[in-house]
Amino acid sequence: MEITHVHAREVLDSRGNPTVEADITLSGQHHGRAISPSGASTGEKEATELRDADPKRYQGKGVQKAVSNVNNQMRRRLVGQLFDTQAQLDEALIALDGTPNKSALGANGILAVSIAFAKAQAAARQVPLYRQLADRSHYTLPVPCMNVINGGRHADNTVDFQEFMIAPHNADSFANAIRMGEEVFHTLKSLLKGKGYVTAVGDEGGFAPDLKANDEAVELILEAISQAGYRPGTDISLCLDPATSELYEAGTNGAPGLYRFFKSTKKTMTSQELNGLWESWVSQYPIVLLEDGMGENDWAGWHQHTAALGSKIELVGDDIFCTNPLILQQGIDQHIANSVLIKLNQIGTVTETLRTMELAYANNYGCFVSHRSGETEDTTIADLTVALNAGHLKTGSGCRSERVSKFNQLLRIEEELGSAGKFAGLKAFKNQ
């Protein structure tokens, strides 16, 4: 159908920072609306999030330039045109931008338009978004990996590692998995409160206490799982995203890089020592997934990391791959990790995201779909996870509406699919 209207505006994300919302209307008044999220701990190779850098507005974080690019260049290119497929529209936007990282028009504006078009197409076909993205007879409902303790860049506390997640996989449905996760979440709150810890939450809805050590976070979560009546490792396992790129300091004059623990011990570790820590944790705790266990620029460390743990658990590359199929191919060729984190705004279009996921599956890599720390009420990643049968996703903790909106959408999808939807369970994770 012909695109008859394109419009963008500046709206707010969950951290109170501006982001881009876009509307697209097709002939027949079929409408789609989407909002771009924003990250805090970002990979160096991510597509460009265009900000105004005007200190008089939103402390320089305004997105009026990106909005203007949608309402001018993109609108002129798209309105009155026919695009039969998502790929045709996205390729037109990529060509219009003309840069390798979407720095001319801004990936935040491009992505909002890309997703809005997918939603408008779904409305025109009178199908849900997940079916518009991938039309199949049966779908997989994901394991919700819930970030219950926050640290790193996501919280002002003493915890170096960014995300400590629970994965309630021993359930017969997504609805029951969410119930299990929420029960542990509230049990953990009571446990923290009883030990005298503050139960305020971080950017992604997880608790952000000042702990004595990083491994105390794991111990507390395991205690909460047991107190809630579940078996650690059997019913609910752990997933970690330490976001080690934030800790990595490149070496100078040929010296190796080091990982500096800024918040807790103030000590440093070599790649080999950090790998030793992860091997110890995996042998000691029921960990099924480890994301960014090594920094994005520490490819040698990633080689060691994959050799040590790549046959035991799921090793997810986030900052190192940035949802970019070209970089992912390099990782595949060098046997780095065994899974890729999927963030739409890292690459900037729906089509490129789908290509990255297809490349991963073709090479026996997993896909772990993810939100960003600056989220919105947009629930696209819930539909994306189901559409591509990713089997697991992370979208935050058990509170904050921009996080649970994705859970609520998955509950609706599960209800709608009925017998055509099956909960992934433990097999969603590589090597389990």
Side-chain angles (χ1 to χ4, degrees), residues 73-74 90-106 110 352:
Q73 293 100 306
M74 288 187 235
D90 289 340
E91 293 295 345
L93 293 175
I94 292 168
L96 182 65
D97 176 87
T99 68
N101 60 352
K102 301 177 179 65
S103 58
L105 299 177
I110 292 173
E352 290 167 295

Side-chain angles (χ1 to χ4, degrees), residues 74 93 218 234 256 268 303 331 388 393 409 418:
M74 288 187 235
L93 293 175
V218 177
T234 300
T268 60
H303 277 286
L388 273 293
L393 91 162
Q409 176 68 354

Side-chain angles (χ1 to χ4, degrees), residues 160 246-249 258-263 266-269:
D160 294 290
E246 303 293 331
L247 308 178
Y248 186 69
E249 294 182 350
L258 293 172
Y259 293 87
R260 188 174 301 277
F261 290 69
F262 293 96
K263 289 187 168 187
K266 312 297 183 184
K267 294 181 179 179
T268 60
M269 281 189 180

Side-chain angles (χ1 to χ4, degrees), residues 180-259:
M180 292 165 63
E182 291 289 355
E183 289 170 0
V184 173
F185 175 73
H186 290 288
T187 301
L188 178 60
K189 181 176 182 177
S190 298
L191 179 63
L192 291 170
K193 189 174 181 180
K195 293 179 179 292
Y197 289 124
V198 173
T199 55
V201 299
D203 282 350
E204 298 184 354
F207 301 112
D210 282 327
L211 301 180
K212 301 177 183 68
N214 292 308
D215 56 359
E216 187 184 4
V218 177
E219 300 286 356
L220 287 166
I221 292 170
L222 293 177
E223 187 176 350
I225 292 171
S226 296
Q227 283 192 15
Y230 298 106
R231 297 163 295 176
T234 300
D235 298 318
I236 300 175
S237 296
L238 304 181
C239 304
L240 305 177
D241 173 16
T244 56
S245 293
E246 303 293 331
L247 308 178
Y248 186 69
E249 294 182 350
T252 58
N253 298 321
L258 293 172
Y259 293 87

Side-chain angles (χ1 to χ4, degrees), residues 284-295:
Q284 184 178 357
Y285 303 123
I287 296 170
V288 293
L289 179 149
L290 177 55
E291 174 191 335
D292 277 2
M294 291 284 123

